[in-house]
């Protein structure tokens, strides 16, 4: 039996649920009889243990199981009778004036309901749609990156198949230096301040600027002593903010040789016949695929942000807290996988509330849009999306098989397609601002590799 629904807050409700004690007692007896069939006790054969002993051994556990089941069933019936869309889990406690009333067990259930969501007129929404072109310049930049990834080094001054590196035998930016060094602070060596045959490439930023500056211009066998002040935030806490004196000796110097852009280079990139035009076409295709993905992602972000701003409603706190807990656990797992030290103390959930609130809000908006406009992912859309993913791998058929062999993986693709359906729908309704974004800006300053 359900009593009238009480409104406690915007989304918070309370109802009173009840069920006969006799129903619970009957179910407890029924379950104990089932337990008795296999119950064991010293001196008795299995299934022949007296019911009093079975009740003594299993009664408390069975009573709790039955109580939980009966409460859950009663709450479910009450929610259905009152057409309540329950969000999260209810908090169920015995009635304040006692939970036994006229032979019935009575409980108060406090919970939240899902909000009513009015999407509104999407023609009033403004979203940005990014457009980026791949030009010959981007292809050239990518080729240079690919060349640098395949760099090899030759000793400066030694004649070889690729030359001798020029007449300047001093250390320059781009050269690979091998040196010994010793660092001291107040005349005392410190941990990590000494090395032999240490190798680094000048200009890559691996070493502190003072160290690189001291190495530049040196020739093999030459030495130099210089001062170096460690940054206050230096990862080596014992030397952070202190000034050390370093003595370095250059032992070997190598110059960088980048492969020529020729047939052999094309073959290294997977073009079997070494055709340079085909190599450039392949690179352009890969860049355009990367651009499409990033453009789609930026446009989707713009649509989702616009929806969150445009559609206003109260979000169930219970759902936000649940999502915050998920985000906290995901963060913990990510930190562990990265090898970071994480203590057992729980992360403060308030750190994740803002992100969780946005995620829950967006999820409810998307659900409503999908329901109202029949934007569910179709089987054909999912198949095409998987095939598109597969094109960037060496064996596309194996990738397709990988996705279709696991229902959870397919569910992830379905969710992605559903989001794209929503984006397409919103773009067809909203005011769209076409924005030309430079290639380097889209790629974060890096060409696709």
């Amino acid at each position: 039996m359900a009593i009238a629904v009480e409104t406690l807050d915007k989304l918070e409700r309370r109802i009173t649920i009840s069920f006969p004690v006799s129903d619970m007692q009957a179910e407890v007896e029924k379950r104990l009889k089932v337990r008795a069939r296999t119950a064991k006790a010293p001196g008795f054969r299995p299934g022949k243990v007296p019911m009093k002993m079975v009740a003594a051994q299993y009664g408390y556990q069975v009573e709790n199981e039955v109580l939980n089941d009966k409460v859950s069933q009663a709450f479910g019936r009450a929610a259905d009778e009152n057409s309540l869309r329950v969000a999260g889990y209810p908090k169920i406690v015995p009635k304040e004036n006692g939970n036994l009333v006229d032979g019935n067990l009575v409980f108060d259930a406090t919970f939240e309901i899902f909000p009513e969501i009015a999407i509104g007129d999407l023609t009033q929404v403004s979203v940005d749609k990014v457009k980026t072109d791949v030009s010959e310049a981007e292809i050239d930049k990518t080729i240079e990156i690919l060349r640098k990834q395949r760099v090899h080094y030759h000793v400066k001054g030694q004649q070889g198949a690729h030359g001798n590196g020029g007449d300047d035998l001093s250390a320059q930016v781009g050269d690979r230096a091998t040196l010994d060094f010793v660092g001291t602070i107040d005349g005392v060596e410190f941990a990590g301040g000494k090395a032999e045959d240490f190798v680094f490439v000048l200009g890559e930023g691996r070493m502190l600027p003072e160290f690189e500056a001291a190495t530049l211009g040196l020739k093999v066998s030459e030495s130099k002593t210089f001062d170096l002040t460690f940054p206050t935030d230096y990862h080596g806490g014992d030397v952070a903010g202190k000034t050390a004196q370093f003595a370095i000796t250059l032992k070997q110097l190598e110059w960088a040789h980048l492969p020529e852009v020729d047939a052999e280079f094309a073959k290294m990139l997977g073009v079997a016949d070494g055709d340079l035009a085909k190599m450039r076409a392949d690179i352009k295709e890969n860049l355009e695929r990367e651009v499409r993905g990033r453009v789609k992602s930026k446009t989707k972000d713009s649509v989702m942000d616009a929806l969150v701003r445009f559609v206003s409603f109260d979000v169930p706190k219970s759902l936000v807290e649940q999502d915050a807990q998920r985000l906290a656990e995901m963060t913990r797992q990510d930190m562990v996988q990265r090898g970071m030290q994480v203590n057992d103390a729980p992360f403060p959930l308030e750190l994740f509330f803002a992100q969780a609130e946005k995620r829950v809000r967006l999820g409810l908006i998307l659900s409503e849009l999908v329901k109202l406009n029949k934007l569910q992912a179709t089987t054909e859309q999912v198949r095409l999306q998987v095939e598109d993913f597969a094109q960037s791998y060496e064996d596309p058929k194996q990738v397709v098989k990988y996705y279709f062999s696991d229902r959870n993986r397919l569910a992830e693709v379905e969710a992605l397609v559903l989001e794209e359906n929503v984006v397409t729908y919103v773009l067809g309704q909203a005011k769209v601002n076409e924005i030309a974004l430079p290639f380097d800006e889209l790629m974060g300053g890096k060409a696709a590799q």
Side-chain angles (χ1 to χ4, degrees), residues 225-277:
T225 301
F226 60 96
D227 290 338
L228 183 152
T229 300
F230 289 99
T232 54
D233 59 351
Y234 191 69
H235 57 82
D238 293 340
V239 299
K242 297 180 180 179
T243 298
Q245 187 176 69
F246 276 91
I248 62 174
T249 300
L250 185 62
K251 299 178 72 174
Q252 180 172 279
L253 193 62
E254 298 166 291
W255 63 281
H257 176 260
L258 300 177
E260 300 297 327
V261 182
D262 54 17
E264 289 304 313
F265 181 72
K267 289 178 182 178
M268 281 193 287
L269 298 182
V271 181
D273 60 4
D275 188 298
L276 293 181

Side-chain angles (χ1 to χ4, degrees), residues 19 30 50 79 94 106 168 177 180 222 241 358 368 384 401 426 445:
F19 52 88
K30 179 180 175 182
V106 186
D168 188 348
D180 296 342
E222 288 185 344
K358 181 178 180 180
E368 189 69 13
L384 290 174
K401 182 179 178 181
V426 174

Side-chain angles (χ1 to χ4, degrees), residues 316-328:
K317 298 175 185 176
S318 57
L319 298 185
V320 173
E321 184 170 344
Q322 288 172 25
D323 200 61
Q325 290 172 342
R326 279 193 291 269
L327 290 172

Side-chain angles (χ1 to χ4, degrees), residues 337-382:
Q337 290 174 357
R338 292 171 180 267
M340 302 173 67
Q341 294 292 327
V342 183
N343 58 38
D344 294 331
F347 293 156
L349 288 187
E350 56 268 23
L351 296 176
F352 304 93
F353 277 159
Q355 183 183 359
E357 196 272 345
K358 181 178 180 180
R359 281 161 51 100
V360 172
R361 180 179 297 276
L362 187 56
L364 294 174
I365 294 172
L366 295 184
S367 178
E368 189 69 13
L369 277 170
V370 169
K371 181 178 68 176
L372 290 176
N373 301 286
K374 297 179 174 57
L375 302 176
Q376 292 84 356
T378 66
T379 302
E380 178 66 8
Q381 285 180 313
V382 172

Side-chain angles (χ1 to χ4, degrees), residues 7-22:
T7 298
L8 304 181
D9 199 356
K10 294 176 180 178
L11 297 177
E12 193 174 30
R13 303 288 185 269
R14 181 169 63 205
I15 58 176
T16 299
I17 58 176
S18 66
F19 52 88
V21 175
S22 58

